[in-house]
Amino acid sequence: MIQSSPYDILFTPIKIGPVEAPNRFFAAPHSTGHGWTEPKGAIALRAMKAEGGWGTVAVGLTEISPNSDFANHPMERIWDDGDLPRHELQVNAIKNHGALAAIELGHGGMQSRNLTTGLPVIGPSGLSVLRPEMPIQSRAMDIADIQLFRNEHKAAVKRSVNAGYDIIYIYAAHGLSIFNHFLSINTNQRSDQYGGTFANRIRLLKEVLEDTLDVVKGERAVALRFSVAEPGKPNGLRHDGEGRDVIEALAELPDLWDVNISGWSNDSLSARFSDEGFQLDYTNFVKSLTTKPVVGVGRFTSPDRMASLIRNGNLDLIGAARPSIADPFLPNKIKNNLPENIRECIGCNVCVSMDAYGVPIKCTQNPTISEEWRKEWHPEAPPISKGRESHLIIGAGPAGLECALTLANAGHEVSIAEARAEPGGRVTREASLPGLSSWLRVRDYRVYQLSQKSNAQLYLSSKMSVNDIIEFGSDTVCIATGATWRNDWVGSTNFDKIMTEKFNLFTPDDIMSKNIPKMSSSNFIVYDDDHYYMASVIAEKLVKDGYCVTYITPLPTIASWTQYTLEQAAITERLQSLGVSFLLNCKMNQDHRFFNIIENKELQIDIKNLVFVGGREPNDKLFYDSKSINSLENIFSIGDCLAPRTIQAAVLSGHQVARDILNRENKQIPFKREQTIH
Ligand code: ADP
Ligand code: SF4
């Protein structure tokens, strides 16, 4: 007898217009950083999601025409028939696994750059383009331009049909679409039939939706991706205002509603600023206004939550971008009743940062993402290996655990020695800081997987020396002993050591190990010469512990690098709301005095307690001492011990070295490259 499962509802098929999705798992459109120039990488990445059980797999934003050129952001393109062979390969790769293939057609309007094409950026009105870094204005589209745009959109729909896509999107989300710009009273200042009243501002979207339905002739499904709210944007759409009016006005037209919130930083909020399901407060109402299926996102990783959302009628399909990156096999794991094997997204937005840089995305939890084609890495199938060696891994942080798991998955004998009484290294320590508890998922997934294997042993409270390594006598040794925060003022913008007695100086390691005595003064400086998240979470923690904090940085913005993880505005707002004071463009000189770099003026700061968040030094003594022993061969350093970087880089390093160990005789070039000329 087949046992029923609480998750069965997630595996019931659902009609989307003329097509049927085999289940409720919907890999939402997102760019992969491969774009149209590295199609093999993009195709393999999406095919992996289809293989992993996502019933619908969508291709991310695809430019419909040369006057919507996002370069140097590597988007997809379907400008003309020359693009079709790539799309046909993509469609086949997705459909081969029984999934539906969707394509998100888009025109960036006033968010386009047109740097490659040199064409004018177009939009409803002639205003500065919506990229403050670009000193250009848009051309206000006349009626002929609007007709041309509609024709170009129809042509792109036709090409998508010819390529074989099952679902064709109209994209009106993230503020990245021409339809957003026509809808918004900020950017639409027209006085003709496309401007002014709501009915006029929605006209273009409705016309293009109708055009698309005409072209597909009921043979393909038409989806509308629409952001129902633009939180934080002056005059932005509200889900209880015009956002709702759009759904009401077009309720039964599309075959599928894909709803979210805008801009991208709201849609892809990090875990520090949002919980699973954070978009539902905005999108919940949509199902009450349409009979058509609704898909929504919200960093869903819990099967119980997903099943209850379908059961309770909140959504018809569970949309996921980040959870499908972190675990392309999430649906199959639920189907096989192994939800404990899901590698849950930690909401760190490193994937987003890579996309912002325009390079193939990387993921903290899934080191195989983007490597499906170029390195032939599979997230679930262990690397094939001859023989059965013994490996000693020293350090059970992200790098050590990932390395150990990869070797153990290949059937080798693995021993992990960890000096501390608990595993996890930096993720365990950092998870105690405000907003970072999801970092523990990096540890918990790997520790659990290792605990299920008879060929892997984790030894806690086991600090290793060179003699211990010699005595252990394993075939290989991987040293993953991490890094230590510096206290000598060496950081991103200063390479000269400054030792000072002027302050009660602490590092993030001191704060995380609760190594701070009771202070006589309640004032603290947090000096940020790291520029990622650490200084801001330390500031947050100190405020919560009752201290007054002044955040000082030599750069002109707060937590500069977090602009790439889309967290910078939220961090600034959080610190402001906590009453933190800010001194930007401010450095300390060799006399231990702070001065403003722009004004070249000394600042009078009378605060003794200071947390220096700067560089880190690798804990590599054990590695170099072991390397110098002749009898020890096959010693590798990995993770922060090799080079202090992000948690994502540590995991990738652990994974890579494990694969290199398994493939020692056959070391190849780092990865295959996509060559344009063969
Ligand atoms: P990474 O990010 O590279 O994984 P972490 O700093 O997170 O690095 O983890 C390093 C781990 O190594 C820490 O948990 C630390 O306790 C452990 N460690 C450091 N030195 C030794 C040692 N000599 N023997 C065993 N474990 C060690
Ligand atoms: Fe999730 Fe971070 Fe991976 Fe992105 S990089 S999918 S946010 S774990």
Side-chain angles (χ1 to χ4, degrees), residues 390-394 413-417 464 468-469 472 474-479:
S390 67
H391 308 282
L392 172 62
I393 319 290
I394 300 177
E413 288 295 328
V414 174
S415 305
I416 311 143
M464 299 293 283
D468 296 329
I469 294 175
F472 201 88
S474 55
D475 295 313
T476 74
V477 184
C478 293
I479 300 196

mmCIF file with all atom_site columns, all heavy atoms in Angstrom, residues 390-394 413-417 464 468-469 472 474-479:
data_model
loop_
_atom_site.group_PDB
_atom_site.id
_atom_site.type_symbol
_atom_site.label_atom_id
_atom_site.label_alt_id
_atom_site.label_comp_id
_atom_site.label_asym_id
_atom_site.label_entity_id
_atom_site.label_seq_id
_atom_site.pdbx_PDB_ins_code
_atom_site.Cartn_x
_atom_site.Cartn_y
_atom_site.Cartn_z
_atom_site.occupancy
_atom_site.B_iso_or_equiv
_atom_site.pdbx_formal_charge
_atom_site.auth_seq_id
_atom_site.auth_comp_id
_atom_site.auth_asym_id
_atom_site.auth_atom_id
_atom_site.pdbx_PDB_model_num
ATOM 1   N N   . SER A 1 390 ? 42.323 7.110  3.401  1.00 0.00 ? 390 SER A N   1
ATOM 2   C CA  . SER A 1 390 ? 41.921 7.736  4.670  1.00 0.00 ? 390 SER A CA  1
ATOM 3   C C   . SER A 1 390 ? 42.364 9.194  4.655  1.00 0.00 ? 390 SER A C   1
ATOM 4   O O   . SER A 1 390 ? 43.467 9.517  4.196  1.00 0.00 ? 390 SER A O   1
ATOM 5   C CB  . SER A 1 390 ? 42.553 6.997  5.847  1.00 0.00 ? 390 SER A CB  1
ATOM 6   O OG  . SER A 1 390 ? 43.946 7.175  5.821  1.00 0.00 ? 390 SER A OG  1
ATOM 7   N N   . HIS A 1 391 ? 41.475 10.053 5.130  1.00 0.00 ? 391 HIS A N   1
ATOM 8   C CA  . HIS A 1 391 ? 41.742 11.490 5.098  1.00 0.00 ? 391 HIS A CA  1
ATOM 9   C C   . HIS A 1 391 ? 41.515 12.075 6.481  1.00 0.00 ? 391 HIS A C   1
ATOM 10  O O   . HIS A 1 391 ? 40.512 11.763 7.130  1.00 0.00 ? 391 HIS A O   1
ATOM 11  C CB  . HIS A 1 391 ? 40.815 12.191 4.109  1.00 0.00 ? 391 HIS A CB  1
ATOM 12  C CG  . HIS A 1 391 ? 40.830 11.576 2.745  1.00 0.00 ? 391 HIS A CG  1
ATOM 13  N ND1 . HIS A 1 391 ? 41.833 11.796 1.835  1.00 0.00 ? 391 HIS A ND1 1
ATOM 14  C CD2 . HIS A 1 391 ? 39.962 10.714 2.140  1.00 0.00 ? 391 HIS A CD2 1
ATOM 15  C CE1 . HIS A 1 391 ? 41.590 11.124 0.722  1.00 0.00 ? 391 HIS A CE1 1
ATOM 16  N NE2 . HIS A 1 391 ? 40.455 10.453 0.892  1.00 0.00 ? 391 HIS A NE2 1
ATOM 17  N N   . LEU A 1 392 ? 42.444 12.923 6.886  1.00 0.00 ? 392 LEU A N   1
ATOM 18  C CA  . LEU A 1 392 ? 42.282 13.644 8.156  1.00 0.00 ? 392 LEU A CA  1
ATOM 19  C C   . LEU A 1 392 ? 41.983 15.098 7.819  1.00 0.00 ? 392 LEU A C   1
ATOM 20  O O   . LEU A 1 392 ? 42.735 15.750 7.078  1.00 0.00 ? 392 LEU A O   1
ATOM 21  C CB  . LEU A 1 392 ? 43.583 13.541 8.969  1.00 0.00 ? 392 LEU A CB  1
ATOM 22  C CG  . LEU A 1 392 ? 43.647 14.401 10.239 1.00 0.00 ? 392 LEU A CG  1
ATOM 23  C CD1 . LEU A 1 392 ? 42.562 13.986 11.244 1.00 0.00 ? 392 LEU A CD1 1
ATOM 24  C CD2 . LEU A 1 392 ? 45.039 14.291 10.887 1.00 0.00 ? 392 LEU A CD2 1
ATOM 25  N N   . ILE A 1 393 ? 40.882 15.603 8.369  1.00 0.00 ? 393 ILE A N   1
ATOM 26  C CA  . ILE A 1 393 ? 40.520 17.008 8.166  1.00 0.00 ? 393 ILE A CA  1
ATOM 27  C C   . ILE A 1 393 ? 40.679 17.687 9.519  1.00 0.00 ? 393 ILE A C   1
ATOM 28  O O   . ILE A 1 393 ? 40.107 17.226 10.515 1.00 0.00 ? 393 ILE A O   1
ATOM 29  C CB  . ILE A 1 393 ? 39.041 17.159 7.725  1.00 0.00 ? 393 ILE A CB  1
ATOM 30  C CG1 . ILE A 1 393 ? 38.625 16.096 6.713  1.00 0.00 ? 393 ILE A CG1 1
ATOM 31  C CG2 . ILE A 1 393 ? 38.749 18.572 7.262  1.00 0.00 ? 393 ILE A CG2 1
ATOM 32  C CD1 . ILE A 1 393 ? 39.200 16.179 5.365  1.00 0.00 ? 393 ILE A CD1 1
ATOM 33  N N   . ILE A 1 394 ? 41.410 18.762 9.546  1.00 0.00 ? 394 ILE A N   1
ATOM 34  C CA  . ILE A 1 394 ? 41.605 19.472 10.826 1.00 0.00 ? 394 ILE A CA  1
ATOM 35  C C   . ILE A 1 394 ? 40.841 20.785 10.783 1.00 0.00 ? 394 ILE A C   1
ATOM 36  O O   . ILE A 1 394 ? 41.131 21.663 9.968  1.00 0.00 ? 394 ILE A O   1
ATOM 37  C CB  . ILE A 1 394 ? 43.099 19.694 11.097 1.00 0.00 ? 394 ILE A CB  1
ATOM 38  C CG1 . ILE A 1 394 ? 43.775 18.316 11.159 1.00 0.00 ? 394 ILE A CG1 1
ATOM 39  C CG2 . ILE A 1 394 ? 43.300 20.470 12.395 1.00 0.00 ? 394 ILE A CG2 1
ATOM 40  C CD1 . ILE A 1 394 ? 45.261 18.373 11.354 1.00 0.00 ? 394 ILE A CD1 1
ATOM 41  N N   . GLU A 1 413 ? 37.454 6.990  3.845  1.00 0.00 ? 413 GLU A N   1
ATOM 42  C CA  . GLU A 1 413 ? 37.449 7.073  5.317  1.00 0.00 ? 413 GLU A CA  1
ATOM 43  C C   . GLU A 1 413 ? 37.823 8.489  5.722  1.00 0.00 ? 413 GLU A C   1
ATOM 44  O O   . GLU A 1 413 ? 38.888 8.987  5.335  1.00 0.00 ? 413 GLU A O   1
ATOM 45  C CB  . GLU A 1 413 ? 38.517 6.136  5.902  1.00 0.00 ? 413 GLU A CB  1
ATOM 46  C CG  . GLU A 1 413 ? 38.202 4.673  5.796  1.00 0.00 ? 413 GLU A CG  1
ATOM 47  C CD  . GLU A 1 413 ? 36.989 4.296  6.625  1.00 0.00 ? 413 GLU A CD  1
ATOM 48  O OE1 . GLU A 1 413 ? 36.762 4.923  7.682  1.00 0.00 ? 413 GLU A OE1 1
ATOM 49  O OE2 . GLU A 1 413 ? 36.258 3.386  6.192  1.00 0.00 ? 413 GLU A OE2 1
ATOM 50  N N   . VAL A 1 414 ? 36.982 9.124  6.507  1.00 0.00 ? 414 VAL A N   1
ATOM 51  C CA  . VAL A 1 414 ? 37.219 10.524 6.849  1.00 0.00 ? 414 VAL A CA  1
ATOM 52  C C   . VAL A 1 414 ? 37.192 10.703 8.366  1.00 0.00 ? 414 VAL A C   1
ATOM 53  O O   . VAL A 1 414 ? 36.271 10.231 9.036  1.00 0.00 ? 414 VAL A O   1
ATOM 54  C CB  . VAL A 1 414 ? 36.134 11.413 6.205  1.00 0.00 ? 414 VAL A CB  1
ATOM 55  C CG1 . VAL A 1 414 ? 36.269 12.851 6.675  1.00 0.00 ? 414 VAL A CG1 1
ATOM 56  C CG2 . VAL A 1 414 ? 36.218 11.352 4.690  1.00 0.00 ? 414 VAL A CG2 1
ATOM 57  N N   . SER A 1 415 ? 38.216 11.383 8.879  1.00 0.00 ? 415 SER A N   1
ATOM 58  C CA  . SER A 1 415 ? 38.223 11.755 10.300 1.00 0.00 ? 415 SER A CA  1
ATOM 59  C C   . SER A 1 415 ? 38.348 13.266 10.373 1.00 0.00 ? 415 SER A C   1
ATOM 60  O O   . SER A 1 415 ? 39.203 13.856 9.710  1.00 0.00 ? 415 SER A O   1
ATOM 61  C CB  . SER A 1 415 ? 39.424 11.137 11.019 1.00 0.00 ? 415 SER A CB  1
ATOM 62  O OG  . SER A 1 415 ? 39.425 9.743  10.822 1.00 0.00 ? 415 SER A OG  1
ATOM 63  N N   . ILE A 1 416 ? 37.491 13.880 11.185 1.00 0.00 ? 416 ILE A N   1
ATOM 64  C CA  . ILE A 1 416 ? 37.549 15.337 11.339 1.00 0.00 ? 416 ILE A CA  1
ATOM 65  C C   . ILE A 1 416 ? 37.907 15.617 12.794 1.00 0.00 ? 416 ILE A C   1
ATOM 66  O O   . ILE A 1 416 ? 37.215 15.147 13.704 1.00 0.00 ? 416 ILE A O   1
ATOM 67  C CB  . ILE A 1 416 ? 36.195 16.000 11.039 1.00 0.00 ? 416 ILE A CB  1
ATOM 68  C CG1 . ILE A 1 416 ? 35.645 15.476 9.699  1.00 0.00 ? 416 ILE A CG1 1
ATOM 69  C CG2 . ILE A 1 416 ? 36.311 17.525 11.002 1.00 0.00 ? 416 ILE A CG2 1
ATOM 70  C CD1 . ILE A 1 416 ? 34.160 15.316 9.712  1.00 0.00 ? 416 ILE A CD1 1
ATOM 71  N N   . ALA A 1 417 ? 38.987 16.379 12.980 1.00 0.00 ? 417 ALA A N   1
ATOM 72  C CA  . ALA A 1 417 ? 39.380 16.756 14.346 1.00 0.00 ? 417 ALA A CA  1
ATOM 73  C C   . ALA A 1 417 ? 39.105 18.233 14.535 1.00 0.00 ? 417 ALA A C   1
ATOM 74  O O   . ALA A 1 417 ? 39.547 19.069 13.746 1.00 0.00 ? 417 ALA A O   1
ATOM 75  C CB  . ALA A 1 417 ? 40.869 16.472 14.547 1.00 0.00 ? 417 ALA A CB  1
ATOM 76  N N   . MET A 1 464 ? 44.772 19.568 17.282 1.00 0.00 ? 464 MET A N   1
ATOM 77  C CA  . MET A 1 464 ? 45.808 18.743 16.664 1.00 0.00 ? 464 MET A CA  1
ATOM 78  C C   . MET A 1 464 ? 47.133 19.496 16.568 1.00 0.00 ? 464 MET A C   1
ATOM 79  O O   . MET A 1 464 ? 47.168 20.694 16.285 1.00 0.00 ? 464 MET A O   1
ATOM 80  C CB  . MET A 1 464 ? 45.379 18.339 15.244 1.00 0.00 ? 464 MET A CB  1
ATOM 81  C CG  . MET A 1 464 ? 44.111 17.522 15.179 1.00 0.00 ? 464 MET A CG  1
ATOM 82  S SD  . MET A 1 464 ? 44.278 15.875 15.907 1.00 0.00 ? 464 MET A SD  1
ATOM 83  C CE  . MET A 1 464 ? 45.167 15.003 14.612 1.00 0.00 ? 464 MET A CE  1
ATOM 84  N N   . ASP A 1 468 ? 50.574 14.978 16.367 1.00 0.00 ? 468 ASP A N   1
ATOM 85  C CA  . ASP A 1 468 ? 49.301 14.234 16.265 1.00 0.00 ? 468 ASP A CA  1
ATOM 86  C C   . ASP A 1 468 ? 49.046 13.815 14.822 1.00 0.00 ? 468 ASP A C   1
ATOM 87  O O   . ASP A 1 468 ? 48.546 12.719 14.551 1.00 0.00 ? 468 ASP A O   1
ATOM 88  C CB  . ASP A 1 468 ? 48.127 15.110 16.739 1.00 0.00 ? 468 ASP A CB  1
ATOM 89  C CG  . ASP A 1 468 ? 48.224 15.476 18.215 1.00 0.00 ? 468 ASP A CG  1
ATOM 90  O OD1 . ASP A 1 468 ? 48.780 14.660 18.975 1.00 0.00 ? 468 ASP A OD1 1
ATOM 91  O OD2 . ASP A 1 468 ? 47.749 16.572 18.595 1.00 0.00 ? 468 ASP A OD2 1
ATOM 92  N N   . ILE A 1 469 ? 49.383 14.721 13.918 1.00 0.00 ? 469 ILE A N   1
ATOM 93  C CA  . ILE A 1 469 ? 49.146 14.418 12.490 1.00 0.00 ? 469 ILE A CA  1
ATOM 94  C C   . ILE A 1 469 ? 50.021 13.241 12.058 1.00 0.00 ? 469 ILE A C   1
ATOM 95  O O   . ILE A 1 469 ? 49.554 12.305 11.390 1.00 0.00 ? 469 ILE A O   1
ATOM 96  C CB  . ILE A 1 469 ? 49.448 15.663 11.615 1.00 0.00 ? 469 ILE A CB  1
ATOM 97  C CG1 . ILE A 1 469 ? 48.450 16.778 11.922 1.00 0.00 ? 469 ILE A CG1 1
ATOM 98  C CG2 . ILE A 1 469 ? 49.408 15.314 10.132 1.00 0.00 ? 469 ILE A CG2 1
ATOM 99  C CD1 . ILE A 1 469 ? 48.712 18.095 11.216 1.00 0.00 ? 469 ILE A CD1 1
ATOM 100 N N   . PHE A 1 472 ? 48.715 10.084 13.474 1.00 0.00 ? 472 PHE A N   1
ATOM 101 C CA  . PHE A 1 472 ? 47.434 9.664  12.885 1.00 0.00 ? 472 PHE A CA  1
ATOM 102 C C   . PHE A 1 472 ? 47.661 8.846  11.616 1.00 0.00 ? 472 PHE A C   1
ATOM 103 O O   . PHE A 1 472 ? 46.987 7.849  11.375 1.00 0.00 ? 472 PHE A O   1
ATOM 104 C CB  . PHE A 1 472 ? 46.570 10.893 12.591 1.00 0.00 ? 472 PHE A CB  1
ATOM 105 C CG  . PHE A 1 472 ? 45.124 10.568 12.483 1.00 0.00 ? 472 PHE A CG  1
ATOM 106 C CD1 . PHE A 1 472 ? 44.310 10.556 13.605 1.00 0.00 ? 472 PHE A CD1 1
ATOM 107 C CD2 . PHE A 1 472 ? 44.561 10.225 11.259 1.00 0.00 ? 472 PHE A CD2 1
ATOM 108 C CE1 . PHE A 1 472 ? 42.969 10.230 13.513 1.00 0.00 ? 472 PHE A CE1 1
ATOM 109 C CE2 . PHE A 1 472 ? 43.217 9.888  11.152 1.00 0.00 ? 472 PHE A CE2 1
ATOM 110 C CZ  . PHE A 1 472 ? 42.421 9.892  12.282 1.00 0.00 ? 472 PHE A CZ  1
ATOM 111 N N   . SER A 1 474 ? 47.269 9.364  8.239  1.00 0.00 ? 474 SER A N   1
ATOM 112 C CA  . SER A 1 474 ? 46.283 9.265  7.146  1.00 0.00 ? 474 SER A CA  1
ATOM 113 C C   . SER A 1 474 ? 46.970 9.473  5.796  1.00 0.00 ? 474 SER A C   1
ATOM 114 O O   . SER A 1 474 ? 48.108 9.954  5.730  1.00 0.00 ? 474 SER A O   1
ATOM 115 C CB  . SER A 1 474 ? 45.195 10.321 7.342  1.00 0.00 ? 474 SER A CB  1
ATOM 116 O OG  . SER A 1 474 ? 45.791 11.585 7.453  1.00 0.00 ? 474 SER A OG  1
ATOM 117 N N   . ASP A 1 475 ? 46.240 9.124  4.716  1.00 0.00 ? 475 ASP A N   1
ATOM 118 C CA  . ASP A 1 475 ? 46.818 9.300  3.373  1.00 0.00 ? 475 ASP A CA  1
ATOM 119 C C   . ASP A 1 475 ? 46.922 10.779 3.001  1.00 0.00 ? 475 ASP A C   1
ATOM 120 O O   . ASP A 1 475 ? 47.847 11.181 2.312  1.00 0.00 ? 475 ASP A O   1
ATOM 121 C CB  . ASP A 1 475 ? 45.963 8.582  2.319  1.00 0.00 ? 475 ASP A CB  1
ATOM 122 C CG  . ASP A 1 475 ? 45.993 7.073  2.529  1.00 0.00 ? 475 ASP A CG  1
ATOM 123 O OD1 . ASP A 1 475 ? 47.103 6.542  2.721  1.00 0.00 ? 475 ASP A OD1 1
ATOM 124 O OD2 . ASP A 1 475 ? 44.916 6.447  2.531  1.00 0.00 ? 475 ASP A OD2 1
ATOM 125 N N   . THR A 1 476 ? 45.931 11.557 3.393  1.00 0.00 ? 476 THR A N   1
ATOM 126 C CA  . THR A 1 476 ? 46.002 13.006 3.129  1.00 0.00 ? 476 THR A CA  1
ATOM 127 C C   . THR A 1 476 ? 45.600 13.755 4.391  1.00 0.00 ? 476 THR A C   1
ATOM 128 O O   . THR A 1 476 ? 44.924 13.207 5.276  1.00 0.00 ? 476 THR A O   1
ATOM 129 C CB  . THR A 1 476 ? 45.052 13.460 1.995  1.00 0.00 ? 476 THR A CB  1
ATOM 130 O OG1 . THR A 1 476 ? 43.718 13.445 2.493  1.00 0.00 ? 476 THR A OG1 1
ATOM 131 C CG2 . THR A 1 476 ? 45.155 12.598 0.755  1.00 0.00 ? 476 THR A CG2 1
ATOM 132 N N   . VAL A 1 477 ? 46.023 15.019 4.435  1.00 0.00 ? 477 VAL A N   1
ATOM 133 C CA  . VAL A 1 477 ? 45.633 15.888 5.555  1.00 0.00 ? 477 VAL A CA  1
ATOM 134 C C   . VAL A 1 477 ? 45.146 17.211 4.967  1.00 0.00 ? 477 VAL A C   1
ATOM 135 O O   . VAL A 1 477 ? 45.845 17.833 4.161  1.00 0.00 ? 477 VAL A O   1
ATOM 136 C CB  . VAL A 1 477 ? 46.829 16.182 6.497  1.00 0.00 ? 477 VAL A CB  1
ATOM 137 C CG1 . VAL A 1 477 ? 46.375 17.011 7.695  1.00 0.00 ? 477 VAL A CG1 1
ATOM 138 C CG2 . VAL A 1 477 ? 47.494 14.895 6.957  1.00 0.00 ? 477 VAL A CG2 1
ATOM 139 N N   . CYS A 1 478 ? 43.943 17.622 5.372  1.00 0.00 ? 478 CYS A N   1
ATOM 140 C CA  . CYS A 1 478 ? 43.427 18.925 4.936  1.00 0.00 ? 478 CYS A CA  1
ATOM 141 C C   . CYS A 1 478 ? 43.348 19.813 6.156  1.00 0.00 ? 478 CYS A C   1
ATOM 142 O O   . CYS A 1 478 ? 42.683 19.475 7.145  1.00 0.00 ? 478 CYS A O   1
ATOM 143 C CB  . CYS A 1 478 ? 42.041 18.779 4.328  1.00 0.00 ? 478 CYS A CB  1
ATOM 144 S SG  . CYS A 1 478 ? 42.094 17.876 2.802  1.00 0.00 ? 478 CYS A SG  1
ATOM 145 N N   . ILE A 1 479 ? 44.025 20.927 6.076  1.00 0.00 ? 479 ILE A N   1
ATOM 146 C CA  . ILE A 1 479 ? 44.077 21.812 7.236  1.00 0.00 ? 479 ILE A CA  1
ATOM 147 C C   . ILE A 1 479 ? 43.135 22.988 7.005  1.00 0.00 ? 479 ILE A C   1
ATOM 148 O O   . ILE A 1 479 ? 43.309 23.789 6.080  1.00 0.00 ? 479 ILE A O   1
ATOM 149 C CB  . ILE A 1 479 ? 45.532 22.241 7.507  1.00 0.00 ? 479 ILE A CB  1
ATOM 150 C CG1 . ILE A 1 479 ? 46.310 20.946 7.773  1.00 0.00 ? 479 ILE A CG1 1
ATOM 151 C CG2 . ILE A 1 479 ? 45.597 23.234 8.667  1.00 0.00 ? 479 ILE A CG2 1
ATOM 152 C CD1 . ILE A 1 479 ? 47.640 21.075 8.404  1.00 0.00 ? 479 ILE A CD1 1
#
